[in-house]
Amino acid sequence: MIKILVIDDEDTLRITTIAVLRSSGFEAIGATNGGEGIELARTTLPDLIICDIRMELVNGYQMLTAIRNDSVTATIPFILMTSNPDREGLRQGMELGADDYMSKPFSPYELVAAVNARL
């Protein structure tokens, strides 16, 4: 089963995203912050990571950098998501190695389509 790691400090969005992914046939696990997300990525080796940008302690850009700089996790597809999309943020994410970028809120269809496109 394809495993997806969802990292977001907003409980409702993280739980809802995980539920949509599970109902679409994926194994989905969650982390409440970037530090926890980095650890889970290294220990569970998900097939895909979906990560919020704006989080306390370790933000999405820092999380992406840590994932890309670790030879064990460097090739895991990574989708950034944010509620405040802007060109600078999009460019920064892509320069750091993001595979896709989703604006919140997104529909279940958009979520599953983005996941399928990256897998």
Side-chain angles (χ1 to χ4, degrees), residues 3 5 7 29 34-46 49 58 62-74 76:
K3 184 185 315 175
L5 172 58
I7 304 115
I29 56 176
E36 182 183 340
I38 292 167
E39 184 61 32
L40 272 175
R42 289 178 178 152
T43 58
T44 67
L45 297 176
I49 297 171
V58 177
Q62 294 165 323
M63 165 91 190
L64 175 56
T65 299
I67 293 300
R68 290 294 180 251
N69 287 333
D70 185 330
S71 62
V72 175
T73 59
I76 298 172

Side-chain angles (χ1 to χ4, degrees), residues 48-115:
L48 175 75
I49 297 171
I50 302 172
C51 183
D52 186 27
I53 292 175
R54 296 176 195 259
M55 295 183 291
E56 302 266 335
L57 304 175
V58 177
N59 67 37
Y61 298 127
Q62 294 165 323
M63 165 91 190
L64 175 56
T65 299
I67 293 300
R68 290 294 180 251
N69 287 333
D70 185 330
S71 62
V72 175
T73 59
T75 61
I76 298 172
F78 199 104
I79 299 174
L80 284 170
M81 60 180 169
T82 185
S83 57
N84 297 318
D86 60 37
R87 291 180 72 101
E88 283 182 26
L90 171 63
R91 177 61 24 219
Q92 182 179 1
M94 293 306 189
E95 287 174 0
L96 292 172
D99 297 290
D100 204 347
Y101 196 92
M102 290 185 1
S103 296
K104 295 191 262 182
F106 44 81
S107 71
Y109 172 80
E110 290 171 315
L111 172 63
V112 173
V115 166

